[in-house]
Amino acid sequence: MGLKLNDDFLWGGAIAAHQAEGAWQEGGKGVSIADILTAGSHQHPRQITDGVIEGLNYPNHHGIDFYHTYKEDLALMAEMGFKAFRTSIAWTRIFPNGDDAEPNEEGLAFYDDLFDEMHKHGIEPVVTLNHFEMPYHLVTEYGGWGNRKLIDLFVNYAKVVFERYQDKVTYWMTHNEISNQAAVSNDPFFEFMVWTNSGLKFSEDATLAEKQAAMMQAGHYELVASAKAVKLGHEINPNFIIGGMVNVAALYPASPKPADMLAFQKARQTRDWFTDVHVRGAYSTEMEAFFEKTGVRADVTDEDRADLLAGTVDYMAISYYNSKTVKAATDADTEIDNPSHVETVKNDYVKVNDWDWAVDPQGLRYALNELNDMYPRLPIMIVENGFGAYDTVENGEIHDPYRIDYLRAHVAEVEKAVVLDGIPVIGYLSWGPIDIVSAGTGEMKKRYGYIYVDLDDMGEGSGDRLRKDSFHWYKEVIASHGENL
Ligand code: P53
């Protein structure tokens, strides 16, 4: 028998609208930035196309058809005993273009039904406002989050949904994984992150410094928009619990060599500066020094600073998948002041999955302790954790011991963090409780679910839902409050 968590702990799972709903042109929905991302793979990055191009595969167009299947899908979550379920509102269902004068009633009605259905099962909705799916029109007409006007457009969208669902939703978060874009590099994955976070696309000849400046300016507007939404949300319903959301990869230095330690520390500051503004309402002194020196993030007003301070978050939502080990890029680094001076290296102490993500359960306990060291007593909700893997179906059964192993090991570390370390973790929502389209690669075959969905990378298949072995395992975990792993 293992450790046990309290009755009010929020066990459940999490998805995002663009990876699940499909129905990309139904109910008055507009085109989002996810609708022009092609399918990729571990080897080939997803392409960002100029609009939708005939003949290419855009997996988010079909998702898993959750827009039509949510009732049967939620019934399966309820069968596992879910206490909470996280999804996002597709901004483009509410404001198809992002700057429409009036919201789209059909989109609003869809989420009314979705949240009502959750409550019928006693499942608490946990809602992300902006999960990699801003209206594409805001990119083509405004230049994405590089434009200050996005602040008001976002806050207006937040106002509409806060008012509409004020009696149905308590737990909110503003931007999904806002800090993914923080580590600027020439890696194609950075291009993907800054697109999904900010709707920014760079020309071929843009320098790293230019990319960094654009990202930091956009990030600043996103943070101001988040803070204004938090303040407004509390005015609309003081009981709202509104958070920021970041990916937390546990960070380690490659060696105790002083230059590696400094590189590790700088990588951590890069990872954490968005969190810092969400929680403290101000930029860290390290970030201020960096801005000062480089002259980036030019447009920051006194009013912005006041807004940031007035809209600090009630909790932090985090995703955790892996750890990352870093070293100084060169021995000559006397002035490690830029993320590009940090190199990620393989850690021989941890294994990787088929997509080279380091599997490190203890790193989750480490990351939770570290967060509580930085922001003592701030509630933390784990809103993503899971194992992307290939599954095979044999006679209608899916045996996924590798997934159970991953989840068991991570949940055990969460329980140690809560019970033994006293970290205020309020929930554990694993990623993709039902198979969905991968964000990073656009594949269906990178599966996280307890529930198998019979669709392939081309979106072909019956769409049938099947319970994997992990389904029965997670049901028992929840029923025993985490005691039976
Ligand atoms: P996929 C990068 C780094 C960490 C998490 O990812 C990330 C990403 C972007 O892929 O994404 C989060 O589907 C994200 C989800 C996503 C999930 O992790 O690439 O919030 O939308 O599906 C898993 O395996």
Side-chain angles (χ1 to χ4, degrees):
M1 283 287 168
L3 300 171
K4 194 173 173 180
L5 300 184
N6 290 340
D7 289 359
D8 57 358
F9 190 78
L10 295 171
W11 294 99
I15 62 167
H18 72 286
Q19 290 167 260
E21 288 177 6
W24 73 294
Q25 287 181 308
E26 280 180 61
K29 180 183 166 299
V31 178
S32 82
I33 59 168
D35 290 322
I36 62 156
L37 280 174
T38 63
S41 66
H42 180 32
Q43 290 75 26
H44 299 104
R46 304 183 74 175
Q47 302 298 312
I48 305 162
T49 56
D50 284 330
V52 174
I53 297 172
E54 224 11 72
L56 295 182
N57 179 15
Y58 296 99
N60 300 78
H61 290 187
H62 53 75
I64 57 162
D65 199 31
F66 186 73
Y67 186 74
H68 296 112
T69 61
Y70 68 89
K71 285 192 180 161
E72 60 174 278
D73 293 341
L74 287 172
L76 286 164
M77 313 289 173
E79 194 183 319
M80 278 184 277
F82 275 29
K83 311 270 188 249
F85 181 70
R86 170 187 179 223
T87 189
S88 58
I89 295 175
W91 189 344
T92 49
R93 291 200 186 281
I94 311 304
F95 288 100
N97 297 298
D99 61 356
D100 316 73
E102 295 298 327
N104 170 37
E105 178 53 34
E106 221 180 325
L108 288 167
F110 170 70
Y111 292 103
D112 266 323
D113 293 346
L114 183 69
F115 301 145
D116 287 346
E117 194 67 20
M118 288 187 210
H119 285 299
K120 268 188 217 161
H121 292 291
I123 297 176
E124 187 74 41
V126 176
V127 176
T128 318
L129 292 173
N130 179 24
H131 193 136
F132 302 172
E133 57 207 349
M134 66 189 285
Y136 183 48
H137 177 80
L138 295 184
V139 173
T140 54
E141 297 306 309
Y142 295 79
W145 280 99
N147 190 330
R148 176 176 278 280
K149 288 189 182 133
L150 271 274
I151 297 175
D152 287 347
L153 293 169
F154 176 83
V155 174
N156 186 45
Y157 155 61
K159 178 171 186 277
V160 166
V161 296
F162 282 159
E163 281 174 349
R164 178 78 170 217
Y165 310 120
Q166 56 176 302
D167 299 323
K168 298 185 182 182
V169 178
T170 301
Y171 293 94
W172 300 88
M173 66 198 80
T174 54
H175 308 292
N176 182 64
E177 288 188 344
I178 184 171
S179 54
N180 281 3
Q181 59 194 336
V184 179
S185 80
N186 285 320
D187 192 303
F189 212 51
F190 169 70
E191 307 284 324
F192 170 81
M193 308 254 213
V194 80
W195 174 255
T196 49
N197 281 147
S198 295
L200 294 182
K201 202 173 167 181
F202 301 115
S203 65
E204 296 267 312
D205 55 0
T207 63
L208 273 184
E210 284 163 352
K211 290 179 188 179
Q212 189 166 47
M215 177 278 290
M216 285 185 170
Q217 187 65 67
H220 173 69
Y221 294 148
E222 286 153 25
L223 287 164
V224 173
S226 172
K228 289 181 90 158
V230 169
K231 181 159 179 278
L232 184 69
H234 289 145
E235 282 160 15
I236 292 168
N237 184 344
N239 296 324
F240 277 178
I241 300 171
I242 315 175
M245 196 289 191
V246 291
N247 173 257
V248 180
L251 275 175
Y252 307 132
S255 83
K257 192 168 87 176
D260 286 348
M261 289 303 299
L262 192 58
F264 148 73
Q265 198 170 47
K266 285 293 159 195
R268 227 179 61 179
Q269 289 166 2
T270 301
R271 185 196 65 186
D272 293 334
W273 66 267
F274 280 95
T275 313
D276 234 50
V277 182
H278 273 317
V279 178
R280 298 196 165 115
Y283 288 94
S284 62
T285 51
E286 295 94 348
M287 286 307 294
E288 292 289 2
F290 181 77
F291 295 144
E292 182 82 8
K293 191 173 78 71
T294 56
V296 304
R297 201 202 52 172
D299 181 28
V300 181
T301 66
D302 289 346
E303 201 183 325
D304 290 347
R305 290 187 188 276
D307 286 337
L308 290 176
L309 211 50
T312 53
V313 296
D314 301 319
Y315 75 104
M316 277 309 294
I318 66 159
S319 60
Y320 178 88
Y321 291 94
N322 48 18
S323 58
K324 214 172 121 171
T325 304
V326 295
K327 70 191 259 295
T330 65
D331 284 340
D333 272 333
T334 50
E335 196 191 347
I336 300 168
D337 60 355
N338 189 311
S340 62
H341 288 175
V342 173
E343 202 179 296
T344 302
V345 295
K346 189 171 168 299
N347 179 346
D348 290 332
Y349 297 98
V350 299
K351 295 201 188 84
V352 296
N353 75 357
D354 289 325
W355 284 262
D356 284 329
W357 290 22
V359 176
D360 182 0
Q362 237 178 0
L364 176 52
R365 182 177 176 187
Y366 174 82
L368 290 169
N369 274 270
E370 190 188 45
L371 262 173
N372 192 56
D373 284 348
M374 290 192 291
Y375 312 112
R377 295 177 191 83
L378 183 76
I380 303 167
M381 196 186 319
I382 299 164
V383 298
E384 290 186 28
N385 172 240
F387 193 61
Y390 300 112
D391 289 328
T392 46
V393 186
E394 291 165 59
N395 305 320
E397 294 181 354
I398 300 100
H399 304 297
D400 57 346
Y402 36 88
R403 184 170 290 109
I404 295 173
D405 285 349
Y406 178 101
L407 293 162
R408 175 189 288 130
H410 284 76
V411 171
E413 296 298 325
V414 174
E415 294 179 356
K416 286 182 208 165
V418 173
V419 179
L420 308 180
D421 304 333
I423 313 296
V425 181
I426 59 173
Y428 175 85
L429 310 182
S430 68
W431 182 249
I434 182 166
D435 294 342
I436 50 177
V437 171
S438 154
T441 68
E443 294 167 304
M444 254 322 283
K445 65 171 179 282
K446 187 180 186 188
R447 297 173 182 274
Y448 288 84
Y450 306 111
I451 302 161
Y452 184 88
V453 177
D454 179 31
L455 288 173
D456 66 16
D457 288 345
M458 297 305 292
E460 275 153 28
S462 66
D464 287 351
R465 274 60 170 155
L466 299 168
R467 294 167 186 78
K468 304 181 194 177
D469 287 354
S470 55
F471 181 100
H472 306 289
W473 172 81
Y474 197 43
K475 183 178 176 182
E476 176 58 26
V477 172
I478 298 177
S480 67
H481 303 280
E483 204 170 4
N484 297 345
L485 296 180

